[in-house]
Each structure stands twice: as C-alpha cells, then as structure tokens.
Amino acid sequence: MSLDGAFLHCVKEELSALIGARVDKISQPSREEVIVSLRMLGGEDRSARKILFSAGGTAACVHLTERDYENPSAPPLFCMILRKHLSGGKLVAIRQDGLERVLFFDFECVNEIGDKVLNTLTSEILGRYSNVILMRDGRVVDSIKRITDGGDESFTGRRILPNIPYEAPPRAERLCLLDTEVGDVINALFGGEYDTQRLAKALPAVLEGIAPIFARECAFYAVGDVDTVVGELSEAHKSRVSEFLENAKNALNGAASYTLLTDEDGKKKDFSFVDVKEYGGLYKGQGFNSPSLLLDEFYGAAARQERMKQKARDLLKTVNTAYERVSRKLELQKKELAECGEREVFRVTGDLINANIYRLEKGMTRCELEDFYTGEPREITLDARLTPAQNAQKYYNEYRKLDTAEKKLTELIKKGGEEREYLDSVLDSISRAESDSELSEIRRELREQGYLRAQKGDDRPSKKLSEPLKFRSTEGFEILVGRNNRQNDLLTLKTAKATDIWLHTKDIAGSHVIIRANGQTLPEQTIVEAAMLAAFHSKGKSGSGVPVDYVAVKFVKKPAGAKPGMVIFTNNKTLYVTPDESVVERLRENY
C-alpha cells in the first residue's frame, strides 16, 4: 500500500522533534532517494538523525531511518543543488495541509551573499507521481523528477521545472478528521448521498487522507462486515462508526497504535496507525513504537531492491541480451540436431545403390529397390548426370556431413547450455546484489568473460572482494554464503576445507554455501538450516520444497576452463526445504 495522509501526519508529529536542528549532511544513494542528516546543536543528544525522502513509485515515503546506505562515487546533480542551498540550514517548521500526502520542510538558510532565506524541501507522496522538490519564495529551484508539459496527464498538465511557480497537486473537497467534529463527518456520511455504497468505499470519499485499510477496519468495527452498505446501517451501527472515528482522531493526536501486518510467510502486506482486527488470524499484527520504525521496516527491503535494480539496469540489459541470444542459438542447434537423426537414411540408400549397381545406369532419375533391412520396396531419387557409383557416393557424403554436424552440434549445445547456465547465475547474483561494490565485482567478472568492454581505468588493480555473507546455525556452526560467482569460486576452492560441507540448489541458479565443520560430524538441523540458506539465496527463494544438493567439499571439483562459479560434484545427497526469511534473519543475528 502507499503511505496515506493520516499516517503521514503521525510521521510529521514525530519529525517535529527535530525542529531547530541543522543540516549536517545530504546524500542521494539512488535516483529517487535523498537522505538529509540533521544534528541538534544544543541539549544532551547531539547525534545525527537521518530523514529519508523517497520518490519511488512503489516505495514513496518520508521518515527517519537507521539503515546504512551506500552512496555513488559522484553525487548526482540534485544532491549537489540540495547541498548548495540547504547545507548548514536550520529546520524551522514542518507543514502539512490538512491530511494531504504532502509535507513541507522549511529551512532557514544563508544564501551566497550572506542574507537569510527560507528554503522549502517538499515531499509529495503520490504513488508513481511522487516527487521531492526544493523551493524558494514559492518557485521551484529543482526536483528529483522534472515534469514537463504533458508529462503528468493525471494531474492535468501540472509541471515541475526549475524557476517556475510551484503548483500544489489537485485536491478533492473532503473533510479533514483533524479539524472536523466527528458529528459533522457522520452527517456527511449518512446524509443520503452514499446510501447505496459500501461503508468502506464511502468513507474515503468523505474523509481525506485515509487508506482503504482504515475504511475497512471502520466497517468491521461497526458491523463486523467490510462489505456492509451505508443505507443498511442501524443507529447502533452509526454509533459504532462514530466511536471508531473518535478513537482514530485521538490516535492522530498522539495515541496511535502503529501496526504492521504480515502473512504466515513473513511477507509484509499492509500497515496502519490503528489496531487492525478485520483479518482475524489471516495476518499477524506487529506493533511499533514509532511510525518511522514501521515505515523503515515496511519499505526498507523493497526500496533496497528498487535501488539496486536502478543501479544494475545496464548490467541486466547486457546479461539478458546475451541470455536471449544464447537461448535462440540453442533452439536452432537443437532443431538442426534433430534433423541429423535422419542421417542413417542416406547411408542405407548408398548401400542399396551399391548392392544393386549392376541394375542401374547413368541417366536414370529414379529407381525402385528392395530395402534389405525391411524387405519393403523403396523408391530412390537419382541424379541423371551421375553414374550409379557417383550417386551412391553422393548419399554417403550427405551421411558423413550429417554425422559430423551431429558431433559438432552436440558439443556446441553442451557449451551453449553451460553458457546459459552461467548467465542465469549472473542474473541471480545481480538480483541479490546489495551494494555498489558487489555490482562492481560482477562487472569485473563480465569484462573478464568478454561480455562487457573494458573501460578507461579498468586496468587498475582489482579491489579486494567483498566478504561472503556469514551466519551461525542453532548448534553454533559457521555458515558462509557466496554473493556472486567470483566469490563462490573463492569460497569453495580456496576458503573451504576438504571436510567442510558444500551446498547448492539442484538445477537452480544460486549461491555456494559452506558449513565449517571443523572436523566434526554435523547435526541434521545445521544441514537443514544451511540448505534453507542455499534455497533463500537462489532463484528458488519464493518457492517451496526447493531441492538442495549437499556433499563434502573434497567431492567438489572445477573443470578446466569452466566459467566462474561452475563446478561438478559427486557422492551428493539432496534435501527439500522451503525458504523462511525469519529463519534466515535469526541465523544472521546468531553470528
């Protein structure tokens, strides 16, 4: 779900504690994210607090964050503009118009000639139209997304460009729960206009800034049914609606209950600032002490994936293009190989001609001979320009050509399959990359394999590889997980000892996993947990009953000339596991 205006109000109230703080640092870790670090100069707590401004279409938000973000080597233009206008500025106000999904952060700054000016950083949470905009005196200085004429048809041509007046997003005429009496809301809701609509549908039409989950919870609280129609509600039901809205109003004024809903697999589904009871036991509710902590948890993983997807776009395009090319070539080769299966017909035809050569003459275009393999007559086409012996040789030549083609095609198909398997593993590594350094390692690998051209500066000494992911099993055994193919090779062929256990998903691209056995016999639970890590760090992450092979490292070999990450193994056993993110996090925390 997207962040609604009511929850945004709760964020605003939390962030208001930073009024008076000064801008310490500004960074832009991705194309659609900005982080502003603020530091209080007075009082006991002078630690920096980071505010994340995100304009991502699926993860647009603004809140305090405690996550670490890796910044690009060179700051983007918008980041430099923010540093120029906001660095050292003091946060003097945070404004919200009613419960609109827009927050205005006013900073008192000093301009180039030493005069005090008021700069405003605006966060618009509008789904795919979300934006982060820097303004001064009501005019746009710049924005993280520039919108030209006709670039935003949903907002009737609204433009966001430097040096033009700022135009607020269109706003429907609705009541604001913060400054409206609940009785007035009830009168508007039950005045007859919405009698044929469901209560969960009518409520957002009356109140601004509320999400569908809030409206459904109100209907469930009042009637016990989220599909109930407004016109069918009794006075007792109306009283329950009024009670729920009074409680919600109190929640917005400081008594909120920040709830995150997750399903049985731990996947995050929705959140609200009120307790959510409508789902019963279908979803599990997790409480948070602040709205920022909840949003950081809800959007954190999705935002990181979107961030890395943006940074890896060029890699994905290159590898996908190569993967599709290899796949098309394989299909053609397999088709040609199937045609080679008919080569025996040409050999038998040559044999038949040679066996009956005394019956044939030059100039014949066809003949009918008895097939001594089947006993049935066969009609054979002949070249009138050739002698019978030359016709037989022609069929033998065709047989030898197809026989040679079959051998070459078999080898080519084997190599093509290995290349496609390798590219599949690279795509998996890119999808799981969590930092620029990991993407740099993958780029370096692709350059070494000839899929990317060497750029200026690529001949510099290779940086040290990032370390593998580290976990510890319930019984205390260390488990290492490779991040990419180069690291998989290093982990399996250099780091691991012969008695350690190696794991990998069966016929599925994924990471190499090593259990450091330390010469001990491993408990079954440790092997199962390591298998779950292997399944989680693979393309089978979202599946169930994922097959995972495991074997002692001494049985794992790398063939000469094999591509990075490609190994062969024997004496393996197979486990079937279902990845569980909560187990993975627990094993990570154990380390």
Side-chain angles (χ1 to χ4, degrees):
M1 68 165 278
S2 59
L3 179 59
D4 65 12
F7 203 99
L8 193 62
H9 169 80
C10 299
V11 175
K12 167 184 166 290
E13 293 300 302
E14 179 185 21
L15 295 178
S16 295
L18 294 177
I19 291 178
R22 290 193 177 274
V23 176
D24 184 42
K25 294 179 182 179
I26 300 174
S27 59
Q28 188 175 347
S30 71
R31 183 168 56 88
E32 296 179 336
E33 292 177 316
V34 168
I35 294 178
V36 178
S37 295
L38 299 171
R39 192 182 298 273
M40 299 294 292
L41 299 182
E44 296 181 0
D45 185 8
R46 298 189 181 185
S47 60
R49 306 297 302 278
K50 296 185 296 187
I51 303 179
L52 170 66
F53 294 80
S54 174
T58 58
C61 57
V62 54
H63 58 81
L64 290 171
T65 181
E66 297 179 357
R67 295 178 181 268
D68 293 324
Y69 293 82
E70 187 174 9
N71 296 315
S73 55
L77 175 62
F78 185 62
C79 179
M80 296 174 67
I81 291 173
L82 290 180
R83 289 176 180 177
K84 174 183 177 181
H85 292 280
L86 295 183
S87 291
K90 182 171 72 173
L91 180 63
V92 294
I94 304 176
R95 298 177 285 115
Q96 182 183 21
D97 188 4
L99 290 180
E100 278 291 278
R101 293 184 294 168
V102 181
L103 284 188
F104 301 92
F105 293 75
D106 294 329
F107 293 89
E108 187 181 83
C109 307
V110 177
N111 64 12
E112 296 87 343
I113 60 176
D115 294 335
K116 286 186 177 181
V117 294
L118 191 68
N119 292 321
T120 300
L121 188 61
T122 304
S123 175
E124 297 184 345
I125 312 297
L126 306 171
R128 66 190 181 98
Y129 301 105
S130 299
N131 214 335
V132 180
I133 306 166
L134 179 64
M135 300 186 299
R136 178 186 295 176
D137 298 329
R139 302 183 73 86
V140 175
V141 176
D142 208 344
S143 60
I144 207 165
K145 296 178 184 176
R146 293 184 179 182
I147 302 176
T148 58
D149 289 322
D152 198 341
E153 297 178 0
S154 173
F155 288 154
T156 61
R158 176 175 176 254
R159 299 186 305 156
I160 302 293
L161 292 170
N163 301 318
I164 68 171
Y166 172 74
E167 181 183 351
R171 184 179 182 184
E173 290 295 328
R174 289 177 293 179
L175 300 176
C176 174
L177 189 59
L178 283 174
D179 50 27
T180 303
E181 294 296 329
V182 171
D184 294 335
V185 177
I186 296 298
N187 291 336
L189 188 62
F190 296 100
E193 182 179 352
Y194 304 101
D195 281 355
T196 59
Q197 291 190 20
R198 294 184 299 113
L199 177 58
K201 187 76 173 178
L203 203 56
V206 173
L207 286 174
E208 72 172 357
I210 62 169
I213 187 174
F214 176 91
R216 292 195 304 270
E217 186 62 24
C218 179
F220 183 81
Y221 183 90
V223 190
D225 181 7
V226 296
D227 294 321
T228 187
V229 176
V230 172
E232 298 175 357
L233 297 181
S234 65
E235 290 300 321
H237 292 150
K238 294 179 183 178
S239 177
R240 293 280 288 175
V241 172
S242 178
E243 182 181 346
F244 181 86
L245 294 178
E246 285 287 358
N247 293 337
K249 192 169 184 177
N250 292 333
L252 291 174
N253 288 322
S257 178
Y258 307 112
T259 304
L260 172 64
L261 299 178
T262 57
D263 63 15
E264 59 182 9
D265 296 325
K267 294 181 180 178
K268 304 169 184 66
K269 291 298 183 181
D270 216 332
F271 61 87
S272 182
F273 63 96
V274 297
D275 284 330
V276 180
K277 306 293 185 184
E278 60 175 292
Y279 296 107
L282 182 61
Y283 293 147
K284 178 183 177 182
Q286 180 182 357
F288 285 82
N289 295 328
S290 79
S292 289
L293 287 175
L294 187 153
L295 294 177
D296 215 18
E297 176 68 21
F298 187 84
Y299 288 119
R304 184 184 70 247
Q305 291 173 359
E306 181 64 25
R307 189 184 315 120
M308 296 313 300
K309 185 177 179 180
Q310 292 174 10
K311 293 181 178 180
R313 189 167 295 163
D314 60 327
L315 282 180
L316 286 170
K317 182 178 179 180
T318 298
V319 180
N320 274 318
T321 300
Y323 185 90
E324 292 170 3
R325 174 181 55 79
V326 172
S327 296
R328 287 195 300 269
K329 186 185 293 186
L330 274 173
E331 290 304 313
L332 291 174
Q333 290 170 345
K334 288 178 180 178
K335 185 177 179 180
E336 291 178 21
L337 182 61
E339 294 173 356
C340 291
E342 301 177 2
R343 69 188 186 285
E344 286 297 321
V345 174
F346 293 97
R347 183 183 64 79
V348 170
T349 303
D351 290 345
L352 288 177
I353 294 174
N354 276 336
N356 296 275
I357 198 167
Y358 65 93
R359 299 170 54 189
L360 305 177
E361 297 178 359
K362 184 178 180 179
M364 296 178 66
T365 58
R366 62 183 59 253
C367 65
E368 186 175 283
L369 303 175
E370 183 181 351
D371 189 335
F372 39 73
Y373 289 101
T374 64
E376 299 292 330
R378 255 186 63 188
E379 187 175 283
I380 297 174
T381 302
L382 299 173
D383 189 335
R385 296 168 300 175
L386 303 178
T387 65
Q390 289 173 332
N391 269 296
Q393 192 60 42
K394 178 181 177 182
Y395 278 104
Y396 285 137
N397 288 340
E398 193 66 29
Y399 164 76
R400 283 191 291 270
K401 184 167 64 175
L402 290 176
D403 187 58
T404 302
E406 182 181 51
K407 294 174 183 176
K408 289 186 176 296
L409 284 169
T410 301
E411 182 64 24
L412 289 172
I413 289 171
K414 179 184 176 183
K415 290 182 178 179
E418 291 172 351
E419 184 178 8
R420 185 165 65 174
E421 182 182 351
Y422 167 71
L423 292 171
D424 196 27
S425 71
V426 175
L427 288 171
D428 176 61
S429 297
I430 295 172
S431 70
R432 291 186 287 104
E434 297 180 350
S435 65
D436 284 343
S437 60
E438 290 181 52
L439 291 178
S440 296
E441 291 173 11
I442 296 172
R443 283 193 177 91
R444 191 154 57 246
E445 175 188 333
L446 290 173
R447 281 195 295 270
E448 292 172 355
Q449 297 301 315
Y451 294 100
L452 288 178
R453 291 182 179 179
Q455 302 294 326
K456 185 177 180 181
D458 288 344
D459 55 349
R460 291 175 297 182
S462 296
K463 297 180 181 179
K464 183 180 178 182
L465 282 174
S466 58
E467 293 190 355
L469 298 170
K470 297 179 180 179
F471 303 85
R472 194 171 298 281
S473 73
T474 304
E475 286 89 354
F477 289 89
E478 183 181 35
I479 304 174
L480 304 177
V481 179
R483 297 174 185 265
N484 50 58
N485 285 322
R486 285 163 58 94
Q487 199 174 88
N488 285 339
D489 277 351
L490 185 63
L491 186 61
T492 301
L493 306 174
K494 300 292 184 182
T495 304
K497 296 181 180 179
T499 55
D500 290 341
I501 300 300
W502 177 90
L503 302 95
H504 192 279
T505 44
K506 185 179 183 68
D507 300 327
I508 301 173
S511 294
H512 291 200
V513 176
I514 296 294
I515 309 175
R516 305 303 292 268
N518 299 321
Q520 304 178 49
T521 300
L522 292 175
E524 183 178 351
Q525 184 175 355
T526 291
I527 297 176
V528 171
E529 290 173 345
M532 189 172 292
L533 289 173
F536 185 82
H537 295 91
S538 75
K539 294 191 74 171
K541 176 180 178 179
S542 59
S544 60
V546 180
V548 178
D549 289 328
Y550 68 97
V551 67
V553 170
K554 63 183 179 182
F555 296 113
V556 182
K557 309 295 179 185
K558 188 174 184 68
K563 290 185 177 294
M566 302 294 106
V567 296
I568 57 175
F569 51 92
T570 56
N571 296 15
N572 59 291
K573 297 180 181 179
T574 305
L575 275 177
Y576 293 85
V577 296
T578 299
D580 187 333
E581 187 172 359
S582 62
V583 174
V584 173
E585 289 302 317
R586 175 173 59 80
L587 298 177
R588 190 196 304 272
E589 292 169 1
N590 286 349
Y591 193 83

